[in-house]
Amino acid sequence: MLWHDGALHEGGMLTLAAGDRGLLLADGLFETVLIVGGRPWRLMEHLTRLRNSADAIGMPIDTRPEEAILALAAHAAASADLGGLGAVRVTVTRGAGPRGLRLPPNPSPCVFATIAPWQPVMAFRPLRLQLAAIRRNEFSPLSRMKSLSYLDNILALEDAVRQGCDDALLLNTRGTVAATSAGNVFALRADLLVTPPIEDGVLPGITRQVVLAAAAGIGLSVREQSLTIAELKAADAAFATNSLRLICPIASLDGEEISRDTRLVTLMEALRAEIHADCGADPFAEPSRASQFL
Amino acid sequence: MLWHDGALHEGGMLTLAAGDRGLLLADGLFETVLIVGGRPWRLMEHLTRLRNSADAIGMPIDTRPEEAILALAAHAAASADLGGLGAVRVTVTRGAGPRGLRLPPNPSPCVFATIAPWQPVMAFRPLRLQLAAIRRNEFSPLSRMKSLSYLDNILALEDAVRQGCDDALLLNTRGTVAATSAGNVFALRADLLVTPPIEDGVLPGITRQVVLAAAAGIGLSVREQSLTIAELKAADAAFATNSLRLICPIASLDGEEISRDTRLVTLMEALRAEIHADCGADPFAEPSRASQFL
């Protein structure tokens, strides 16, 4: 299902300007939002991040992203197939412009969104990571945004999968940990939970922020500081987060096993309760599911 | 004028899959080709680079890019408005895929192309450069391709223009010279012409290659080696190249003037002759134009 120009459309085809800068130059942003119980999880945080990034790249933004997410969430609520669950992606491009890189004087952004099925089984899955040769560029403001530029991440992920892993671990150009192909990275050592700061080339993840708060709530110290591979490998537990997979334990890095710790399950349960509170439904309530992933 | 699905279309609107990975993830490539006398300049070199990059990112490629460029070149030849001149941009995306970063098992790339007017006045113009804060990521294979990821370049260019300059100079993460927002960089010192090697985060430019050959032809030594800002500032002359602006003398960097050298005019004349030989026409033949820019 596609939202475009204020309405839902079936069929999956989109008509836009051949000069659309999102299509030609990756001049745009997106958000991926989890829908549970027909309601978007942490909607305001996603919209705020989108607006902050749009401001940073000088792209005007209006209420269409919110409208699109809410329309698709309502669709998920009404759909027997989706059962109130879904993954909404809303994309905002700077719209059409004349040839070349210069910004159009009066940009007219293009907004569209789609929903894909989401199942609880997609969350809380352990990851075997491979260290990527490609590095994340902390000298670029895009390293701190969900811009459309994902080909580096795609190539790193594909290389990891070819090597029998589930995802890639990307360092920044200074050689400290930045992110997986689509997630933030955390390491737990004793009572300290560490995740790299935004300046290290890190997306300010919504789930990252929720986890930092939840960790403080269960008595952990939390610190945003640069993380080395050695520190990650020596952790009591390490994990990756994003808005659809939530908390994924890092099982190994380059084949070397990383410890697990029951406090990860406590964090997972805290996140589950947080989603329940925000969306009014618990997709992990069915006992067979909860026992499988938690 | 738009080429899509084997035919020319007026109106400038394009219909593609809402799940097109070029649009959603910058998963695609492009080429920008100069049309002179209704013929594409250095067509084979552009197609070879496109194919090499497609191979590197695992994207299948067919004859549509060539077909599109030739159709639009023929359109330029027949158009009184364009007068046989134009700038063709052909875009190849990996096509639609399911949600997420993983490559679709059987990608069906999307190819489309447009033509914009091109005038000789766009070439051979001097540039005042501003050193960009954003750096080019030589750890990414995309630094050596014309992928769709141009937002870094857009932001660097816009910042330079805001400061009263014409373009940005981007260093790589090691701090040596990489490129302007859309061009290769050269420095001439005594009889040595230097340009950064591809490994420094540099696009293997078509004009770059032509200029390296032309420089050897007029008795200069040419060397691909890392270039520092100090070396650029101390050069007898420096310039940027691309397929539409050809050779642009670098007049200044951060307000500091850079020398000029009459051998730049010799290189410009060599490039002009090369275009004449390849395309059978000389857009700079009109004396008023030649004297203005050469």
Side-chain angles (χ1 to χ4, degrees):
Chain A
M1 188 63 64
L2 167 69
W3 184 98
H4 186 222
D5 278 343
L8 296 178
H9 307 271
E10 306 226 33
M13 297 302 282
L14 176 69
T15 297
L16 79 175
D20 184 273
R21 294 172 58 96
L23 176 61
L24 299 182
L25 300 167
D27 189 0
L29 303 166
F30 72 102
E31 290 289 328
T32 308
V33 183
L34 175 64
I35 309 296
V36 167
R39 282 157 67 171
W41 182 50
R42 292 279 182 169
L43 175 62
M44 283 310 125
E45 285 83 345
H46 283 286
L47 293 174
T48 299
R49 180 171 69 184
L50 182 62
R51 183 173 296 273
N52 289 344
S53 298
D55 287 350
I57 67 169
M59 183 172 76
I61 200 146
D62 56 26
T63 58
R64 284 177 293 165
E66 180 172 8
E67 190 189 334
I69 295 166
L70 291 176
L72 288 167
H75 168 74
S79 157
D81 283 351
L82 294 173
L85 302 175
V88 166
R89 175 184 158 129
V90 58
T91 305
V92 184
T93 80
R94 207 184 299 261
R99 216 205 69 74
L101 300 186
R102 288 297 314 279
L103 297 185
N106 296 299
S108 174
C110 169
V111 178
F112 63 95
T114 54
I115 186 165
W118 180 87
Q119 309 260 327
V121 71
M122 295 166 66
F124 300 138
R125 298 176 77 99
L127 297 174
R128 291 158 298 173
L129 297 186
Q130 181 191 262
L131 192 61
I134 296 177
R135 294 197 182 181
R136 202 164 160 101
N137 182 9
E138 76 276 14
F139 290 100
S140 163
L142 305 189
S143 68
R144 304 181 280 280
M145 294 178 202
K146 269 186 107 65
S147 87
L148 303 178
S149 291
Y150 260 73
L151 188 46
D152 270 341
N153 305 51
I154 291 167
L155 297 175
L157 171 61
E158 211 59 28
D159 195 48
V161 170
R162 260 195 304 271
Q163 305 296 324
C165 288
D166 305 300
D167 203 346
L169 179 72
L170 286 93
L171 307 180
N172 57 32
T173 75
R174 285 198 309 272
T176 65
V177 170
T180 66
S181 72
N184 293 111
V185 175
F186 291 76
L188 179 64
R189 185 81 187 258
D191 289 328
L192 179 65
L193 184 66
V194 169
T195 195
I198 304 305
E199 312 84 79
D200 280 9
V202 164
L203 183 76
I206 307 301
T207 308
R208 173 182 183 272
Q209 209 52 45
V210 173
V211 164
L212 285 174
I218 65 166
L220 296 174
S221 298
V222 297
R223 206 174 291 162
E224 297 182 47
Q225 67 185 25
S226 295
L227 185 64
T228 66
I229 299 173
E231 288 166 341
L232 190 69
K233 285 182 171 172
D236 296 334
F239 58 93
T241 62
N242 78 20
S243 290
L244 298 181
R245 301 184 183 184
L246 305 176
I247 293 177
C248 296
I250 299 175
S252 63
L253 175 58
D254 284 345
E256 198 170 319
E257 280 193 26
I258 292 181
S259 301
R260 295 228 197 169
D261 188 297
T262 55
R263 289 173 297 174
L264 265 193
V265 178
T266 313
L267 277 176
M268 287 171 175
E269 286 288 5
L271 197 56
R272 176 187 167 191
E274 213 280 336
I275 291 169
H276 192 165
D278 197 41
C279 298
D282 178 6
F284 304 102
E286 208 180 304
S288 63
R289 285 179 175 167
S291 62
Q292 190 175 352
F293 307 114
L294 293 179
Chain B
M1 186 63 64
L2 166 71
W3 184 99
H4 186 222
D5 278 343
L8 296 179
H9 306 271
E10 306 226 32
M13 297 302 283
L14 177 68
T15 298
L16 79 174
D20 184 273
R21 293 172 58 95
L23 175 61
L24 299 183
L25 300 167
D27 189 1
L29 303 165
F30 72 102
E31 290 288 329
T32 308
V33 183
L34 175 65
I35 309 296
V36 167
R39 284 156 66 172
W41 182 49
R42 293 281 182 166
L43 175 62
M44 284 310 125
E45 285 83 347
H46 282 286
L47 293 174
T48 299
R49 180 171 67 184
L50 182 61
R51 183 172 297 275
N52 289 344
S53 298
D55 288 349
I57 67 169
M59 182 171 76
I61 200 148
D62 56 26
T63 58
R64 283 177 293 166
E66 180 172 7
E67 190 189 332
I69 295 166
L70 291 174
L72 288 168
H75 168 75
S79 157
D81 282 351
L82 294 173
L85 302 174
V88 166
R89 173 184 159 129
V90 58
T91 304
V92 184
T93 80
R94 207 185 299 261
R99 216 206 68 75
L101 301 185
R102 288 297 313 279
L103 297 184
N106 296 298
S108 176
C110 169
V111 178
F112 63 95
T114 54
I115 187 164
W118 180 87
Q119 309 259 327
V121 70
M122 293 166 67
F124 300 138
R125 297 177 77 101
L127 297 175
R128 292 158 297 173
L129 297 185
Q130 181 192 263
L131 191 62
I134 295 177
R135 295 198 181 180
R136 202 164 159 100
N137 182 9
E138 76 277 14
F139 291 99
S140 164
L142 305 189
S143 68
R144 304 181 279 280
M145 295 178 200
K146 269 186 107 64
S147 86
L148 303 179
S149 291
Y150 260 73
L151 188 47
D152 270 342
N153 306 51
I154 290 167
L155 296 176
L157 171 61
E158 211 59 27
D159 194 49
V161 170
R162 260 194 305 270
Q163 306 295 325
C165 288
D166 304 301
D167 204 345
L169 179 72
L170 285 93
L171 307 180
N172 57 32
T173 75
R174 285 198 309 273
T176 65
V177 171
T180 64
S181 72
N184 292 112
V185 175
F186 291 77
L188 180 63
R189 184 81 188 257
D191 289 327
L192 180 65
L193 183 66
V194 169
T195 195
I198 304 304
E199 312 85 79
D200 280 9
V202 164
L203 184 76
I206 308 301
T207 307
R208 172 181 184 273
Q209 210 52 47
V210 173
V211 164
L212 286 174
I218 65 166
L220 296 174
S221 298
V222 297
R223 205 174 292 164
E224 296 182 46
Q225 67 185 24
S226 296
L227 185 64
T228 65
I229 299 172
E231 287 166 342
L232 191 70
K233 285 183 172 172
D236 296 335
F239 58 94
T241 63
N242 78 19
S243 289
L244 298 181
R245 301 186 183 183
L246 305 175
I247 292 176
C248 296
I250 297 174
S252 63
L253 175 59
D254 284 344
E256 200 170 318
E257 280 193 24
I258 293 181
S259 301
R260 295 229 198 169
D261 188 297
T262 55
R263 290 173 296 175
L264 264 194
V265 178
T266 313
L267 277 177
M268 288 172 175
E269 285 289 5
L271 195 58
R272 176 187 168 192
E274 214 280 336
I275 292 170
H276 193 166
D278 197 41
C279 298
D282 179 5
F284 304 102
E286 207 181 305
S288 64
R289 284 178 175 170
S291 61
Q292 190 175 350
F293 306 114
L294 295 178

